[in-house]
Amino acid sequence: MPLEAKTQSLLRQLPGVDHLLLLAAQDPALAGVPKTIQTRCLREAVDGVRRAILKSGAAAPNTAGAMESAILRDAKARMQQASRLNLRRTINATGVVVHTNLGRSLLADSALENLRTIAAHYSNLEFDLAKGRRGSRYSAVEEILCELSGAPAAMVVNNNAGAVLLTLDTIARGREVIVSRGELVEIGGAFRIPDVMAKSGGILKEVGTTNRTHARDYEGAIGPQTGLLLKVHTSNYSLVGFTKSVSLKELVTIGKTHGVPVMEDLGSGTLVDFSQMGLLREPTVQQAVSTGVDVITFSGDKLLGGPQTGLILGKRKIIEAIKKNPLTRALRIDKLTLAALEATLQLYRDPQRLLQEVPTLRMLLTPLEALAQQAAKLKDTLAAIADTRLLLEIVDGISRAGGGSLPMLELPTKCVSVQVAGRSANSLESALRTAEPAVIVRIENDALLLDPRTLSQEEYGLIRTALARVLMDPAESPA
Ligand SMILES: *Cc1c(COP(=O)(O)O)cnc(C)c1O
């Protein structure tokens, strides 16, 4: 048969979607896939095979039977892809604890339980059970936040970016906000202090220089238009060398003298004094509150280890004004977040339980000996793959707090280094990243590094399965 005629004949024999749907109905693996998705995927697969035949590539199916199986195989892959959730579990083997790209903090079990209870049932979210009338959703956490921090009043919104925006909008709209040039920072995700200021309607007044700002700089800048002195904790970078900044305590004194409120954006904000645990010093929320500062804000999902939230603590008058600001409604947290936050904060009442049960704190504080044991166990689990190309070693490494927290902190750890003969680290990294579940690793010296600090032991087996699959895959993608 001439080529042209052969192509025409094949195209005529392409199976119809109705026929294919009947075949798909016989595949138990596709039982849960909705008809609409099946139909769409089968159509796309038919189109794909039609295009392949028109191109008459060597790989194009050349019999009716071959066409049908090619279509079904492709459609099945498409259906599986379409049924998969886009947001899904990912294994963090990077050793970066508060990994912003991987979802920051993991919730404690009690927070998860409470979240489930509140999600599955009606709750007193905005109902005062004692009085039998409308209540405030924020009351669930106000008291405990004040108890833990020593602050007179508290409030919570969606995230810290929202907390900063809302607070500036409430206190400083149309007025000057004095900030040190050394603190005009950018936090990832395009959160820049000058931009947030502009959005809030506050008028930025920079003082000092990049590396040095003195008390007299603030004092010289205060005038009749001044609405706020703002301090920003430079949580994601560190200035070393010939530097000078004004402490929060000093700033509060200046504010008091001139009758101007003082605010600090603490960023990661911790209620735990890490310096007492042999880690670097990060100013605590309690220390900030004790200076008499008017208002502070910080994130709930960084070092606090709770859900994504922005916590605002401060003087009663300011918190009341914030609650009345219409922006508050736009930034309000939902009940699931509130449920998880309250349960997380409850753990802070019991310091021993806290360090074991809040995953972020537990991971940051895992001792090196425990990490060495975990690395050995992980290595053994992977060695069970029994592939001669696999080279596993335990090496010294560094874990990080991440999330723009404790930027200078280097946490010594033990990693499992993974190499595969004949395969580049880049190609392995991408194969694991696109595995199911995805495994995210670091590369150092052309080896993969798996840090047990951010892994649960139950994930070792999942990593082994993913790695074993990668090793079985003959397709070596170019690095
Ligand atoms: C992280 C951070 C923010 C933003 O907080 P989100 O909770 O991510 O919105 C703002 N300011 C500082 C100093 C930060 O470190």
Side-chain angles (χ1 to χ4, degrees):
M1 228 192 293
L3 204 61
E4 188 70 0
K6 167 97 183 160
T7 303
Q8 291 303 333
S9 150
L10 276 172
L11 289 178
R12 268 195 307 275
Q13 293 177 70
L14 271 171
V17 170
D18 287 341
H19 170 67
L20 292 165
L21 277 169
L22 289 177
L23 294 177
Q26 288 162 22
D27 187 339
L30 301 179
V33 182
K35 271 276 139 31
T36 48
I37 302 291
Q38 293 201 8
T39 308
R40 194 188 77 206
C41 293
L42 286 166
R43 278 216 178 96
E44 287 169 359
V46 171
D47 285 346
V49 168
R50 180 182 292 118
R51 274 195 301 274
I53 290 167
L54 282 171
K55 271 209 254 157
S56 344
N62 56 8
T63 66
M67 285 196 303
E68 192 172 282
S69 33
I71 289 167
L72 284 172
R73 204 175 332 114
D74 180 33
K76 194 167 168 178
R78 286 170 189 273
M79 286 177 214
Q80 270 154 2
Q81 177 82 23
S83 317
R84 214 162 60 159
L85 293 173
N86 288 319
L87 179 60
R88 55 184 186 264
R89 177 181 185 169
T90 299
I91 294 177
N92 175 11
T94 64
V96 179
V97 178
V98 183
H99 198 306
T100 297
N101 299 152
L102 303 182
R104 288 197 183 161
S105 282
L106 310 185
L107 294 179
D109 286 340
S110 61
L112 293 171
E113 254 165 58
N114 197 36
L115 191 157
R116 211 193 133 68
T117 304
I118 296 302
H121 303 91
Y122 291 109
S123 62
N124 61 340
L125 180 65
E126 290 190 353
F127 190 62
D128 185 327
L129 294 172
K131 299 197 176 115
R133 55 174 151 88
R134 193 174 202 286
S136 155
R137 72 171 55 208
Y138 306 108
S139 62
V141 289
E142 272 172 2
E143 227 173 273
I144 190 165
L145 276 170
C146 294
E147 171 198 316
L148 295 171
S149 67
M155 167 71 191
V156 52
V157 292
N158 254 325
N159 55 24
N160 187 31
V164 173
L165 176 70
L166 176 60
T167 309
L168 289 176
D169 184 272
T170 307
I171 305 176
R173 170 158 289 280
R175 316 208 55 184
E176 283 175 2
V177 180
I178 303 178
V179 192
S180 158
R181 287 196 169 88
E183 297 173 6
L184 292 173
V185 293
E186 172 178 315
I187 318 297
F191 177 91
R192 289 176 157 193
I193 291 295
D195 299 343
V196 177
M197 187 76 69
K199 268 284 173 227
S200 74
I203 301 155
L204 177 63
K205 186 152 187 185
E206 303 170 31
V207 294
T209 60
T210 305
N211 58 331
R212 289 174 73 83
T213 302
H214 304 268
R216 61 174 186 273
D217 294 325
Y218 287 96
E219 287 184 301
I222 294 175
Q225 288 312 308
T226 307
L228 183 70
L229 305 180
L230 172 65
K231 190 162 178 63
V232 181
H233 182 49
T234 53
S235 46
N236 59 357
Y237 86 113
S238 172
L239 214 52
V240 292
F242 186 55
T243 65
K244 164 89 179 87
S245 64
V246 177
S247 73
L248 183 62
K249 208 173 162 71
E250 289 174 85
L251 209 56
V252 168
T253 307
I254 297 170
K256 282 219 176 89
T257 310
H258 295 84
V260 178
V262 176
M263 163 177 173
E264 178 163 38
D265 169 11
L266 270 176
S268 27
T270 173
L271 289 162
V272 172
D273 188 350
F274 286 104
S275 64
Q276 287 188 357
M277 290 157 201
L279 298 190
L280 279 191
R281 184 169 187 76
E282 171 85 3
T284 66
V285 169
Q286 296 90 321
Q287 285 159 355
V289 168
S290 74
T291 62
V293 65
D294 294 272
V295 62
I296 60 171
T297 71
F298 56 99
S299 294
D301 57 348
K302 290 182 181 171
L303 294 178
L304 192 77
Q308 180 194 300
T309 39
L311 293 94
I312 311 174
L313 308 179
K315 299 274 164 69
R316 202 169 297 280
K317 239 173 95 179
I318 290 181
I319 300 295
E320 286 312 315
I322 287 175
K323 283 185 181 166
K324 291 199 188 92
N325 187 329
L327 252 187
T328 297
R329 177 62 174 77
L331 296 168
R332 81 176 186 186
I333 64 166
D334 84 310
K335 60 183 178 179
L336 305 186
T337 309
L338 193 58
L341 179 65
E342 187 184 4
T344 305
L345 291 172
Q346 288 270 5
L347 291 171
Y348 275 84
R349 285 181 166 148
D350 182 347
Q352 275 330 98
R353 249 186 98 194
L354 172 71
L355 302 183
Q356 276 317 303
E357 295 189 23
V358 172
T360 296
L361 298 177
R362 187 178 60 228
M363 290 187 229
L364 284 171
L365 296 166
T366 310
L368 188 59
E369 312 84 73
L371 292 163
Q373 281 170 14
Q374 289 165 15
K377 201 163 167 187
L378 174 58
K379 178 169 172 265
D380 288 348
T381 307
L382 300 181
I385 296 175
D387 186 312
T388 50
R389 291 170 297 166
L390 194 56
L391 179 66
L392 302 168
E393 256 185 299
I394 293 188
V395 298
D396 290 335
I398 299 291
S399 326
R400 297 208 171 262
S405 319
L406 304 162
M408 300 302 277
L409 179 63
E410 297 194 334
L411 295 161
T413 189
K414 295 282 179 186
C415 293
V416 177
S417 143
V418 178
Q419 284 175 298
V420 173
R423 189 138 183 190
S424 73
N426 283 329
S427 130
L428 275 180
E429 182 274 335
S430 87
L432 285 173
R433 172 161 42 79
T434 49
E436 187 60 53
V439 182
I440 311 299
V441 302
R442 282 191 296 139
I443 299 181
E444 233 168 69
N445 302 324
D446 209 36
L448 306 187
L449 286 191
L450 275 56
D451 187 339
R453 187 185 295 275
T454 46
L455 295 170
S456 67
Q457 307 215 359
E458 149 271 328
E459 288 174 326
Y460 297 177
L462 295 172
I463 298 174
R464 177 181 59 197
T465 309
L467 184 59
R469 277 212 199 108
V470 168
L471 287 168
M472 271 189 321
D473 183 4
E476 159 70 297
S477 50

